[in-house]
């Protein structure tokens, strides 16, 4: 089984690239983030034509997550159980589903904006709610993974230059402690191999030639429980999907399981 995660940064703007990538990479399950569309604008019909069912949680121009599957999709749970509200409601940042016996949660963790901002406190609360929600599946017997854009670089090596991020979000001790707590709940980081360079970055800003200069971050992660990680046969960052005209600023992370 091939499972992938990809922050597409607008499924409408990236639809031709997504459809081409589905054909070339042939994933069985895909977790998408940052859909930036209403429910009725999500491309269900185009995806069904290519054999994919969809479970979505959309909220218009911001956020939005989905699970796509061509191996069956059941027991979808939109939202983060017990998750905090922001600006009067729970944002569209998590959805969980079962695909051919594998349980997956697609997450788009809050950015945090600035250290000390209310959105930063919300980010930490959201990650704690994710830990609690994931615990039962993490401890369970079936393969389970949380996949998506975590907006946290787990280590200093996961950014091109840690000095460039001093005092900013994504690299703070608080955020990394929240990731460590998630791992302590029974999940492990499935570390992908890079297709180029020494370290597998997954995000490169559009500005200042960050992609060709490889000024990136590894913030798109796959955290799996023991039944999931024991089945991993390969994992890689599909850097090719970040190239060309009109790409997302993220590249997909692909995991092959021997299931």
């Amino acid at each position: 089984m091939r499972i992938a995660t990809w922050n597409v940064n607008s499924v409408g703007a990236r639809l031709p690239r997504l459809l081409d990538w589905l054909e070339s990479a042939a994933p069985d399950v895909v977790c998408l983030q940052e859909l930036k569309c209403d429910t009725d604008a999500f491309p269900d019909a185009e995806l069904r034509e290519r054999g994919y069912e969809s479970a979505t949680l959309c909220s218009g121009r911001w956020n939005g997550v989905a699970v796509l599957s061509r191996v069956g999709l059941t027991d979808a749970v939109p939202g983060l159980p017990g998750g905090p509200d922001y600006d009067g409601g729970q944002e569209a940042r998590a959805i969980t589903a079962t695909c051919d016996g594998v349980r997956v949660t697609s997450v788009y963790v809050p950015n945090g904006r600035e250290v000390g901002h209310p959105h930063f406190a919300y980010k930490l609360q959201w990650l704690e709610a994710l830990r609690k929600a994931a615990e039962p599946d993490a401890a369970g017997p079936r393969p389970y993974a949380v996949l998506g854009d975590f907006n946290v670089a787990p280590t200093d090596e996961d950014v091109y230059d840690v000095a460039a991020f001093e005092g900013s979000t994504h690299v703070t001790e608080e955020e990394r402690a929240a990731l460590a707590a998630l791992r302590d709940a029974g999940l492990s980081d499935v570390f992908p191999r890079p297709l180029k360079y020494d370290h597998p970055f997954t995000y490169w800003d559009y500005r200042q030639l960050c992609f060709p200069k490889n000024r990136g971050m590894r913030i798109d992660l796959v955290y799996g429980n023991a039944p999931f990680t024991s089945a991993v046969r390969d994992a890689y960052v599909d850097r090719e999907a970040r190239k060309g005209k009109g790409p997302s600023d993220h590249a997909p992370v692909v995991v092959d399981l021997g299931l």
Side-chain angles (χ1 to χ4, degrees), residues 158-161 164-165 196-197 199-218 239 242-243 247-251:
D158 292 311
V159 296
Y160 74 91
D161 180 3
F165 295 88
K196 187 177 181 180
Y197 301 110
H199 200 84
F201 296 144
T202 65
Y203 164 84
W204 301 260
D205 197 298
Y206 288 125
R207 299 168 294 181
Q208 300 177 336
L209 299 176
C210 282
F211 182 64
K213 293 180 179 179
N214 199 38
R215 295 177 177 173
M217 309 174 72
R218 186 175 78 96
R239 194 176 182 278
R242 179 60 175 80
K243 296 180 179 179
S248 170
D249 43 5
H250 296 252

Side-chain angles (χ1 to χ4, degrees), residues 52 64 91 103 110 141 160 172 192 238:
Y52 289 91
E91 296 180 320
R103 190 78 168 157
Y160 74 91
T172 66
D238 191 349

Side-chain angles (χ1 to χ4, degrees), residues 24-125:
S24 62
D28 298 297
V29 179
V30 186
C31 294
L32 298 179
Q33 302 87 42
E34 206 169 355
L35 302 179
K36 293 182 176 178
C37 71
D38 293 317
T39 300
D40 58 5
F42 187 81
D44 284 297
E46 293 90 337
L47 292 166
R48 280 197 304 270
E49 289 176 1
R50 288 153 179 84
Y52 289 91
E53 299 177 72
S54 307
T56 63
L57 181 62
C58 303
S59 62
R61 61 183 297 200
W62 307 117
N63 310 320
V65 286
V67 176
L68 315 181
S69 175
R70 62 177 187 177
V71 292
L73 195 158
T74 59
D75 303 325
V77 178
L80 177 61
D85 291 348
Y86 194 79
D87 281 345
Q90 187 175 135
E91 296 180 320
R93 293 186 175 274
I95 189 166
T96 301
T98 300
C99 306
D100 195 21
V102 177
R103 190 78 168 157
V104 297
T105 299
S106 176
V107 299
Y108 181 37
V109 175
N111 178 281
R113 300 182 186 172
E114 297 177 358
V115 176
H117 192 283
H119 205 260
F120 184 76
Y122 164 65
K123 179 178 190 174
L124 299 179
Q125 294 165 3

Side-chain angles (χ1 to χ4, degrees), residues 216-232:
M217 309 174 72
R218 186 175 78 96
I219 57 175
D220 301 87
L221 310 173
V222 177
Y223 275 15
N225 68 353
F228 185 96
T229 57
S230 65
V232 173

Side-chain angles (χ1 to χ4, degrees), residues 175-194:
E175 291 164 292
R176 288 175 173 174
L179 281 190
L182 183 59
R183 294 192 295 270
D184 288 344
L187 300 172
S188 300
D189 187 351
V190 177
F191 193 83
R193 59 185 174 89

